[in-house]
Amino acid sequence: MSDRDLSATALLVLPRRAKQRRTTVKEWLNTAAIAVVALIFAFPFIWMFLTALKPENEVFTETPQIFGSEIRWANFVEAWTVVPFGRFILNGLLVAILGAALSVVVAVLSAYAFSRLRFRFRDKLFLLFVLTLVLPQEVLVVPLFIMINGWGLNDTYAALIIPFAFTAFGTFLMRQFFLTIPLEYEEAALIDGASRLRTLWSVLLPQLVAPLSVLAVFSFIGYWNSYLWPLIIINTQDMATVPLGLGMFTGQFGTQWALLMAASTLAVIPSLILVLLLQRQLIKGVTLGGLGGR
């Protein structure tokens, strides 16, 4: 190969290598930026866990310390036993799982009606339904309490689950995803003799696994973290949920911070496990762009 050919080859290879080098540097910078942002968001949870391992008298010091003089795993055992925290976890799981399931069913049926059925004032009713999202929970607790009290459901699981299963968020979310599915799928099923419920179950829902997972996770976390409504409607310790249980570590003579952080760490675990199990579906549901509609 002549010198001229070698020079021509070098002119072709060097820019390509430079481009690859720039791409590699850009990827490293993006990874570093993502790692920094992730660390910022994770820092409160890391600090909570490390505080849960400290002796009580070392939680607050003049100079903040990341680690205590000893690692006290016993704080988790004490947090579990000083109050019936296991009971609170079971109550919270029962309410969150049943509430999330009911929320998904209600959202799917109402979203299907608003997106596929034709009836008078459909769009105006949907707009009115969506407008309820602007109402804060504090405005709703008084009429909800009067309604639940009139039904005699105070201090029951039904009182914790039913009121917030019929929300506009799930309906709005699922309706937007329904609108992304071509009508031809449903028309073909109806021509073959399938009922609307069979079409919904066999044709539409299999295409909506990701958004259903998103709605289920959001509903679960909403029920799991709910504090104001359980505080109002629950009267006995046996029916208390996790947020109410965390409040029991604050008493007349102060707050047991180490135990509170240990209990808070335990309270985060169910939501963390659920998110990790449904991670792929959550990412897919977010990237589908279901909020766009058509």
Side-chain angles (χ1 to χ4, degrees), residues 7-64:
S7 300
T9 303
L11 290 175
L12 292 174
V13 172
L14 289 177
R16 187 181 304 170
R17 290 181 177 176
K19 184 177 180 180
Q20 291 176 350
R21 191 178 299 110
R22 287 195 299 268
T23 302
T24 302
V25 172
K26 185 177 180 180
E27 290 176 353
W28 276 102
L29 291 176
N30 289 337
T31 302
I34 293 173
V36 170
V37 174
L39 181 61
I40 292 173
F41 279 94
F43 180 76
F45 299 99
I46 296 173
W47 187 268
M48 175 181 67
F49 176 70
L50 294 177
T51 302
L53 298 175
K54 294 179 180 179
E56 183 65 38
N57 59 352
E58 296 181 14
V59 173
F60 294 104
T61 57
E62 293 183 1
T63 302

Side-chain angles (χ1 to χ4, degrees), residues 97-111:
I97 292 173
L98 294 180
L102 182 59
S103 297
V104 169
V105 171
V106 171
V108 167
L109 294 177
S110 57

Side-chain angles (χ1 to χ4, degrees), residues 58-169:
E58 296 181 14
V59 173
F60 294 104
T61 57
E62 293 183 1
T63 302
Q65 301 291 332
I66 297 178
F67 301 99
S69 59
E70 60 176 313
I71 298 178
R72 289 184 54 86
W73 294 102
N75 286 342
F76 289 92
V77 178
E78 189 173 351
W80 188 272
T81 56
V82 71
V83 297
F85 205 74
R87 175 71 181 186
F88 303 154
I89 292 285
L90 290 176
N91 288 341
L93 287 174
L94 180 62
V95 170
I97 292 173
L98 294 180
L102 182 59
S103 297
V104 169
V105 171
V106 171
V108 167
L109 294 177
S110 57
Y112 179 78
F114 281 123
S115 63
R116 289 296 198 257
L117 303 184
R118 300 287 181 181
F119 54 90
R120 194 177 183 185
F121 304 123
R122 183 192 67 174
D123 294 337
K124 293 182 175 59
L125 288 175
F126 177 70
L127 177 61
L128 184 63
F129 193 33
V130 172
L131 286 176
T132 60
L133 289 173
V134 303
L135 296 176
Q137 185 180 9
E138 292 77 8
V139 175
L140 301 175
V141 291
V142 173
L144 283 176
F145 177 80
I146 295 174
M147 179 181 69
I148 295 298
N149 186 55
W151 292 349
L153 296 178
N154 282 7
D155 207 36
T156 62
Y157 291 119
L160 294 171
I161 295 172
I162 293 176
F164 295 99
F166 302 85
T167 61
F169 171 75

Side-chain angles (χ1 to χ4, degrees), residues 243-294:
L244 297 183
L246 294 177
M248 295 180 184
F249 291 98
T250 300
Q252 181 179 359
F253 300 102
T255 301
Q256 298 171 291
W257 288 106
L259 299 185
L260 178 59
M261 294 298 103
S264 299
T265 302
L266 295 174
V268 170
I269 293 176
S271 298
L272 181 62
I273 293 175
L274 181 63
V275 171
L276 291 177
L277 289 176
L278 298 178
Q279 182 178 10
R280 290 186 178 181
Q281 296 298 332
L282 291 175
I283 295 174
K284 184 178 179 181
V286 172
T287 55
L288 278 176
L291 294 179
R294 64 187 175 98

Side-chain angles (χ1 to χ4, degrees), residues 116 181-191 199 203-204 294:
R116 289 296 198 257
I181 301 177
L183 291 173
E184 288 75 13
Y185 288 103
E186 186 177 359
E187 291 173 352
L190 293 175
I191 291 174
T199 302
V203 177
L204 300 181
R294 64 187 175 98

